[in-house]
Amino acid sequence: MFSFLKRTVLAASIVGASLGASAAQPPRAYPLKDFFRNPDRGFFRLADDGKTLGFMQPTSVDGSPARMNIYVQPLQGSKPVGDPRLLTRETARDISNFFWKGADVVLYQKDFGGDENFHVLAVNAKTGQITDLTPYEGVRAGIEDDLEDDPDHVLISHNQRDPEVFDVYRVNVHTGAAVLVAQNPGNIVGWQTDHAGKVRAAVASDGLNTTLLYRDDEAAEFRPLITTDYRTSVSPAFFTFDDRKFYALSNRGRDKLALVVIDPANPDAEEEIYTPEDVDLDAAAYSRKRRVLTLAAYQTDKPQYRFFDAQTEALFKALSARLAGYDFAIQGYDRDENKFIVAAYNDRTPGSRYIYDAAADTLTKLADINPAIPEADMSRVQPISYQTRDGLTVHGYLTLPAGRAPSGLPCIVNPHGGPWARDGWGYNPEVQFLANRGFCVLQMNFRGSTGYGRAFWEAGFGQWGLKMQDDITDGVQWLVQQGIADPKRIGIYGASYGGYATLAGVAFTPELYAAAVDYVGVSNLFTFMQSIPPYWKPMLAKMQNMVGDPERDRERLAATSPALHADRIVTPLFVAQGAKDPRVNKDESDQMVKALRARGVEVEYMVKDNEGHGFHNDENKFEFYEAMERFLKEHLKP
């Protein structure tokens, strides 16, 4: 959902390229819009039969601003042939993603003005007919299972019956007719289907304790299998291929999330399949066609895989050999698992997209995602780590501007959102844009970030504005002690929780930063807790336990709410907010701006009425980044 630093840094380590490395000449400043515009063509997906390609590209409909819309195009082998055909005609907002249902139907989601009340829509790829499968105002819907073996239906969950909880329906993708298959009794926060598309498991929560429920078939009642407190995770991933047991990501009795198999007949025993040594497991995958476990994915400094299947390992080796110098991800495949959409990228480019035909061993390029930004002129993203004042190791990433000596630089500290998330290695247009403008960029996975085990995550409980913020401050001090940062030219920029960390940084360490940009950030922990969307309410007790209870922890929440300490802020501040943000209400930004302006503190405020938790329309993105660039240049003088 949403990101904080003190003085004594005990040790630091650099992983990878030397900090002293720099090119002879800085690259030219590339146009801002080239970093942040939508790709000319991207988001490639294969129909199930492998004979049609779907993709998105910006399209102006009836003179409206260009939005990402869906096209289809026939394939001859792996080569697109003929003219692409426009399937959707969205004018208000980009379509963010889509996927194929069989060979003839495409499914996608849309919301309105960023309110995150997503509808699920189906469009017939042959006729172009569009059917809104969830035509309910103010309702949030999502796809639970694409029911690959059922050509006419998908499982969709939505909260029309009760805004706080989600029921599951089997919905006809041609007509929109819906049949209830699982009604939420009021405490279910997640559903799980088996390989036949039957709802067989669920996760119930009272806010602080979680119970994994199971049933033998859809006619049976759910029964409790495993109950844990919220600090322990047992999250079902998918069923075994006989549909009698299930794979799960679990940290029961261990610090790191591992891949395990759980037998409902003996749920207290876990068959451990794989546990990464230093980090949590992120995900596991399987082959639908061959009905085998294929790989587990996790991330140290870079993405890593553990293979369980020789054919999958051979596929990755073949792609690695052809895509030397790039990491890659498989973004889709046909039902025969012969043709694969492959995304090749690294830290300096979003890269290219290909179709790989495993039978023919051919790699066909579909598009370069952003050819306007030359990879050679972008900056390397270096994994780093440093010690906090209380001896914790924080991992992160440092991007030094290409062609500039790593000394006395203006720097942007960029704490991530969540905060229960993490930054990873790869291409980030914000980071590359800032580096191209002469800034070094520091990203850090402060305590409370996920991915580094339960103890590291729990170390952030109750620490918004305190030790979480100290971790950020300690990163700043590390930058200064390394000689990389000019201590008079350090800025902080973050979104969501990163916006909170930005505000906390300038409120509680005002001497540290010369400029600050808060993007859809929390400012007041009391009003934030009161304005969460209704579907978060089942988890409110957990959130209050992790962040703070407005009654029990009143003194601490008051001490760490930046809006209540606006009198301490002297740093120039730029605030950006979407008016329809359901996560961080506009009042969070309003009250901070009002308090600062009442004191005569410089604060620039940008509000977009047709956006929510972050700006998505190109014209709004461009305006935000243009304003941010002007602001940072004025105050940090790169």
Side-chain angles (χ1 to χ4, degrees), residues 166 258 310 322 430 450 571 577 635:
F166 294 82
R322 289 173 174 269
E430 288 186 334
T450 54
T571 306
Q577 177 69 48
H635 297 290

Side-chain angles (χ1 to χ4, degrees), residues 105-176:
V105 174
V106 170
L107 298 174
Y108 67 100
Q109 293 178 274
K110 63 182 281 188
D111 72 346
F112 302 87
D115 64 4
E116 298 185 15
N117 288 320
F118 294 101
H119 291 211
V120 178
L121 297 97
V123 52
N124 187 297
K126 287 187 165 56
T127 67
Q129 178 181 338
I130 294 177
T131 305
D132 188 343
L133 303 181
T134 54
Y136 318 117
E137 189 173 347
V139 169
R140 180 182 173 100
I143 297 168
E144 290 287 337
D145 193 318
D146 63 353
L147 300 181
E148 187 187 50
D149 296 321
D150 180 341
D152 299 318
H153 298 90
V154 292
L155 293 186
I156 293 175
S157 63
H158 60 69
N159 60 342
Q160 184 203 17
R161 183 183 60 83
D162 181 341
E164 294 186 12
V165 297
F166 294 82
D167 303 317
V168 183
Y169 297 82
R170 185 172 283 105
V171 182
N172 187 298
V173 296
H174 311 292
T175 67

Side-chain angles (χ1 to χ4, degrees), residues 189-423:
V189 295
W191 302 97
Q192 183 67 47
T193 57
D194 64 15
H195 293 287
K198 306 298 184 185
V199 180
R200 296 271 308 285
V203 177
S205 175
D206 64 7
L208 296 178
N209 295 297
T210 298
T211 299
L212 182 59
L213 306 174
Y214 173 83
R215 61 184 178 183
D216 294 320
D217 56 63
E218 285 189 330
E221 294 292 320
F222 280 109
R223 66 179 191 267
L225 281 189
I226 300 165
T227 297
T228 62
D229 69 17
Y230 71 89
R231 297 168 185 249
T232 300
S233 177
V234 182
S235 177
F238 46 87
F239 275 74
T240 55
F241 302 102
D242 60 5
D243 280 333
R244 293 179 180 176
K245 304 175 185 179
F246 53 86
Y247 291 94
L249 299 188
S250 170
N251 61 7
R252 238 187 336 171
R254 62 179 74 83
D255 183 62
K256 305 295 190 292
L257 279 172
L259 180 64
V260 302
V261 172
I262 294 174
D263 183 349
N266 186 18
D268 291 331
E270 292 183 347
E271 179 190 351
E272 189 172 331
I273 305 299
Y274 182 66
T275 308
E277 190 173 336
D278 300 315
V279 294
D280 288 320
L281 193 69
D282 290 332
Y286 65 93
S287 164
R288 273 177 160 168
K289 178 184 178 182
R290 294 181 293 115
R291 298 169 68 82
V292 295
L293 183 68
T294 54
L295 61 81
Y298 58 101
Q299 185 166 199
T300 52
D301 293 325
K302 293 180 67 176
Q304 310 285 346
Y305 300 100
R306 164 70 160 83
F307 295 102
F308 303 105
D309 167 57
Q311 187 169 323
T312 302
E313 187 169 12
L315 169 67
F316 274 66
K317 283 182 177 176
L319 289 170
S320 293
R322 289 173 174 269
L323 298 169
Y326 298 91
D327 278 38
F328 61 86
I330 292 175
Q331 295 185 323
Y333 43 87
D334 64 357
R335 183 156 180 161
D336 282 343
E337 297 180 11
N338 180 56
K339 293 180 185 176
F340 299 86
I341 300 291
V342 180
Y345 68 94
N346 61 28
D347 53 342
R348 293 175 296 152
T349 176
S352 305
R353 303 297 178 263
Y354 302 86
I355 293 180
Y356 178 66
D357 186 317
D361 190 28
T362 57
L363 191 67
T364 304
K365 182 184 278 192
L366 296 172
D368 294 316
I369 296 302
N370 193 350
I373 302 293
E375 175 184 346
D377 281 353
M378 294 299 101
S379 301
R380 294 196 176 275
V381 178
Q382 304 176 35
I384 58 99
S385 65
Y386 58 87
Q387 298 292 113
T388 65
R389 69 195 69 183
D390 60 353
L392 204 64
T393 299
V394 167
H395 295 271
Y397 299 90
L398 178 66
T399 304
L400 297 170
R404 292 171 172 84
S407 174
L409 291 167
C411 289
I412 305 297
V413 177
N414 182 212
H416 64 71
W420 309 299
R422 63 158 286 179
D423 273 324

Side-chain angles (χ1 to χ4, degrees), residues 349-599:
T349 176
S352 305
R353 303 297 178 263
Y354 302 86
I355 293 180
Y356 178 66
D357 186 317
D361 190 28
T362 57
L363 191 67
T364 304
K365 182 184 278 192
L366 296 172
D368 294 316
I369 296 302
N370 193 350
I373 302 293
E375 175 184 346
D377 281 353
M378 294 299 101
S379 301
R380 294 196 176 275
V381 178
Q382 304 176 35
I384 58 99
S385 65
Y386 58 87
Q387 298 292 113
T388 65
R389 69 195 69 183
D390 60 353
L392 204 64
T393 299
V394 167
H395 295 271
Y397 299 90
L398 178 66
T399 304
L400 297 170
R404 292 171 172 84
S407 174
L409 291 167
C411 289
I412 305 297
V413 177
N414 182 212
H416 64 71
W420 309 299
R422 63 158 286 179
D423 273 324
W425 183 89
Y427 180 80
N428 182 319
E430 288 186 334
V431 169
Q432 292 298 337
F433 169 69
L434 290 167
N436 183 249
R437 295 309 193 252
F439 297 101
C440 83
V441 182
L442 177 65
Q443 302 164 277
M444 75 292 293
N445 290 313
F446 43 81
R447 74 190 71 198
S449 300
T450 54
Y452 295 94
R454 176 162 50 178
F456 190 84
W457 172 61
E458 289 184 6
F461 290 4
Q463 295 300 316
W464 286 38
L466 300 170
K467 289 183 180 179
M468 290 167 75
Q469 196 71 23
D470 290 344
D471 291 350
I472 299 172
T473 302
D474 290 347
V476 176
Q477 299 299 343
W478 173 77
L479 272 181
V480 172
Q481 289 171 10
Q482 296 286 314
I484 296 166
D486 177 347
K488 292 183 169 35
R489 293 190 296 160
I490 297 173
I492 183 168
Y493 159 56
S496 198
Y497 177 85
Y500 167 84
T502 294
L503 296 174
V506 295
F508 307 134
T509 53
E511 75 288 350
L512 209 57
Y513 301 108
V517 180
D518 158 34
Y519 188 26
V520 298
V522 174
S523 73
N524 183 325
L525 296 176
F526 296 101
T527 55
F528 165 64
M529 294 281 201
Q530 292 164 2
S531 61
I532 61 172
Y535 45 84
W536 280 10
K537 286 184 180 172
M539 308 306 293
L540 183 58
K542 170 183 170 181
M543 232 174 138
Q544 289 179 346
N545 222 43
M546 293 169 67
V547 179
D549 181 279
E551 297 301 325
R552 182 185 68 232
D553 305 310
R554 174 169 293 276
E555 190 174 322
R556 173 166 58 81
L557 295 185
T560 53
S561 291
L564 305 182
H565 301 279
D567 59 317
R568 300 186 191 179
I569 296 176
V570 294
T571 306
L573 178 66
F574 171 34
V575 177
Q577 177 69 48
K580 293 187 177 179
D581 191 337
R583 306 189 197 194
V584 178
N585 190 279
K586 180 174 174 284
D587 179 57
E588 293 298 305
S589 292
D590 285 349
Q591 59 184 298
M592 175 56 82
V593 170
K594 183 179 178 182
L596 289 173
R597 285 179 174 170
R599 289 180 46 233

